């Protein structure tokens, strides 16, 4: 014969569940931020030169200059 023993659960303090979910959200946010920060350089390095210049906000003059050449002001 099997018997089931009921163990009474204590009530949790008011607001504890909210604190738990806020903590989970903070940890998740930190994880997403760390993943973005940790992989940003590799994503930029994997771009083609045209994509890099398009996202860098350049005016296109950078691609036509030679190394060491000065920009006219």
């Amino acid at each position: 014969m099997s018997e089931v023993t009921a163990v009474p659960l204590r009530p949790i303090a008011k607001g504890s569940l909210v604190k738990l979910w806020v903590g989970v959200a903070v940890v998740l946010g930190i994880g997403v931020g760390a993943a973005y920060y940790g992989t940003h350089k590799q994503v930029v390095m994997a771009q083609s030169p045209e994509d890099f210049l398009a996202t860098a906000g350049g005016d296109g003059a950078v691609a036509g200059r030679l190394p060491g050449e000065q920009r006219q002001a």
Side-chain angles (χ1 to χ4, degrees), residues 11-68:
I12 61 171
K14 201 172 211 175
S16 295
L17 196 58
V18 173
K19 290 178 186 176
L20 172 70
W21 283 110
V22 168
V24 168
V26 167
V27 168
L28 184 67
I30 290 172
V32 168
Y36 176 78
Y37 180 75
T39 59
H40 182 69
K41 288 182 182 179
Q42 283 75 22
V43 170
V44 171
M45 289 174 60
Q47 290 179 337
S48 69
E50 293 82 18
D51 290 339
F52 175 76
L53 289 174
T55 58
D59 56 358
V62 176
R65 286 192 275 147
L66 297 173

